[in-house]
Amino acid sequence: QVQLVESGGGLVQAGGSLRLSCAASGRAFSSYRLGWFRQAPGKEREFVAAISRSSDTTYADSVKGRFTISRDNAKKTTYLQMNSLKPEDTAVYYCAADSAQAVGPYRYWGQGIQVTVSS
């Protein structure tokens, strides 16, 4: 079982930056694939970014060039650096994890953290 705890959310003005952190329990963190998702009010949860066990990254087109996902295996933490924030980035952000060998949706999810971008 893996537990994930997000931190670093809050209120920021458009154009500002935030860094989300997601701390994980479990011994096999370095072998996990990790992801960030978000859900805005009245919308479906959507993919934001992912990082593989070898630190290959993928991004949604809407955040490419503005957001950066990273991982620190020694700290069992993944980060989402968000720059040039826009009001449309307002959402609850979730981190997710699963073993690199797993196929399909992530099995482990954090509780979510609010990010609000004011115009």
Side-chain angles (χ1 to χ4, degrees):
Q1 187 72 11
V2 177
Q3 292 186 327
L4 303 171
V5 179
E6 300 101 336
S7 60
L11 174 65
V12 64
Q13 289 188 332
S17 299
L18 280 176
R19 188 176 80 156
L20 302 183
S21 300
C22 176
S25 65
R27 298 181 179 180
F29 181 85
S30 61
S31 67
Y32 296 160
R33 57 187 175 104
L34 304 164
W36 286 94
F37 293 74
R38 68 186 181 187
Q39 187 168 18
K43 295 189 176 181
E44 299 282 325
R45 185 177 298 186
E46 66 175 4
F47 168 77
V48 175
I51 186 165
S52 71
R53 62 182 297 180
S54 57
S55 295
D56 295 323
T57 58
T58 56
Y59 297 93
D61 287 343
S62 59
V63 307
K64 205 171 291 184
R66 300 188 298 120
F67 290 12
T68 302
I69 187 172
S70 61
R71 64 190 299 160
D72 185 331
N73 291 334
K75 295 182 178 180
K76 299 183 181 180
T77 300
T78 181
Y79 304 98
L80 185 68
Q81 177 67 45
M82 306 185 293
N83 299 328
S84 302
L85 283 160
K86 305 175 181 180
E88 52 263 42
D89 295 317
T90 295
V92 176
Y93 283 71
Y94 299 87
C95 67
D98 211 328
S99 66
Q101 293 75 25
V103 177
Y106 290 88
R107 285 180 291 171
Y108 307 113
W109 292 83
Q111 81 284 356
I113 193 161
Q114 179 69 45
V115 170
T116 303
V117 184
S118 63
S119 58

